[in-house]
Amino acid sequence: MMLLLSLLASFSVFSLMAVGGAITLIPEMHHYVVESHHWMSGQEFAALFAIAQAAPGPNVLVVSLIGWKVAGLAGAFAATVGMCGPSSLLCYYVARLWQRWHASPWRRAIERGLAPLTIGLVTGSAMLMSEAANQHWSGWLLCAGSTVLAWRTRVNPLWLLAGGALLGFAGWI
Amino acid sequence: MTSSLIIPSRRQLFLGFFSIGLSGFGGVLPLAHRMLVQQRRWLSEEEFTELLGLGQILPGPNIVNMSIAIGSRFHGVAGAWLAVAGLMLAPLVIVLSMAMLYDHYQSLPDVQGTLRGLASTAAGLLLAMALRMGEKIERHAVAAVFALLTLLAVGVLRWPLLLVLLVLAPVSVWLARQRGRAGEKA
């Protein structure tokens, strides 16, 4: 029970820090579950992230998987509710105000000012996940290849994930 | 073309977000855009951009924020619940089933290999997302400096995120406001 409350409380705090989405929290969540609580290894964390990416639905589901790994189904529920609850409540009320601020120059300033922070956070997450996921040079090569393909072409990410899974299955990674 | 927009019923709201959740692989936003604006015409292009901006500024998962805003616009609190439930339900069941399978079979070498390949590719997709976002950022030295400062503080120095946000966000927003003022005068 303490574990569930701890998950709920921690993810509620994370929820209010997730400017730019759940992905920007990866370093913070990694610190929480891998480094300070030792609930899983960095590789397991990377595996859960990969599963969440390969499944349909929003990216935030990685949070549900982390909760599940720590404390089973109830853990998944606690982490998901924590992650979505406070931010959703905030959004519900702000969405009503937002229309009224339509003409405010501060609105544009907030958008402009937070965008670089979001990019910094996503890049930090991407660096951390690359370190956790790529154990050999072949992993780095696959990672670099999929980066370039996803960045430069319009190929469906699902094909890239399928390709990566296949290469791994074949024992090349 | 406000007149051609459609107001969904509660049932349609739930089913609409259910289909978005079920088919959005590797991120839901492009799909949400196509469905909400082009196919079902619940929102105009402008309204979508506006709500997306809001979802991105506010903390929390962007698409969850958007479904709250859209659901509540049409049907208040009940609409917000229906939209979020529709969005999360199927993917949650699928992702948990996948994780349970993984847990059960993770000792098999084939499964380990597959997951390694999947993890490296997923990390690559995340890097590509960061690059694409970086390309769309405002071309201004201050914006670039703040992106790098955030990366350095959180990604390299591993400072606590809350602290970093409390320091950097107000300064960055204030400087953006100054840039806006300069733009208005010019």
Side-chain angles (χ1 to χ4, degrees), chain B residues 8-182:
Chain B
S9 71
R10 291 177 185 215
R11 192 184 139 85
Q12 284 170 331
L13 197 62
F14 178 83
L15 290 176
F17 277 94
F18 188 82
S19 77
I20 290 178
L22 199 53
S23 33
F25 284 92
V28 187
L29 278 176
L31 201 94
H33 175 260
R34 219 179 64 175
M35 199 206 86
L36 294 169
V37 178
Q38 288 158 347
Q39 292 172 341
R40 307 207 176 190
R41 298 206 310 274
W42 295 352
L43 299 171
S44 69
E45 194 74 55
E46 281 168 7
E47 285 169 329
F48 183 88
T49 312
E50 191 136 298
L51 288 175
L52 178 61
L54 178 71
Q56 277 170 338
I57 289 166
L58 290 175
N62 298 340
I63 186 70
V64 173
N65 281 344
M66 271 195 93
S67 48
I68 297 273
I70 294 168
S72 70
R73 159 186 297 217
F74 293 123
H75 295 289
V77 178
W81 276 108
L82 285 170
V84 172
L87 179 76
M88 300 284 282
L89 202 61
L92 196 59
V93 171
I94 292 172
V95 88
L96 284 173
S97 318
M98 282 168 75
M100 283 172 194
L101 282 176
Y102 158 70
D103 217 34
H104 202 257
Y105 295 107
Q106 64 172 329
S107 52
L108 301 180
D110 282 348
V111 175
Q112 282 174 6
T114 306
L115 248 299
R116 272 202 302 276
L118 209 52
S120 291
T121 314
L125 294 183
L126 199 51
L127 281 167
M129 181 176 149
L131 286 168
R132 282 194 175 196
M133 289 174 80
E135 282 175 334
K136 275 190 237 154
I137 196 183
E138 176 192 6
R139 297 266 167 255
H140 198 285
V142 176
V145 166
F146 271 88
L148 284 175
L149 278 178
T150 312
L151 174 61
L152 190 70
V154 176
V156 181
L157 299 173
R158 302 281 164 86
W159 287 350
L161 179 58
L162 188 62
L163 185 81
V164 173
L165 287 178
L166 284 178
V167 173
L168 290 184
V171 182
S172 180
V173 168
W174 187 75
L175 288 173
R177 179 72 193 106
Q178 299 305 310
R179 294 203 290 284
R181 284 219 173 94

Side-chain angles (χ1 to χ4, degrees), chain A residues 82-107:
Chain A
M83 184 68 205
C84 296
S87 59
S88 297
L89 207 63
L90 184 71
C91 182
Y92 180 79
Y93 289 105
V94 174
R96 286 149 179 257
L97 287 174
W98 199 239
Q99 300 288 337
R100 253 186 277 162
W101 294 341
H102 190 79
S104 165
W106 279 103
R107 205 182 111 162

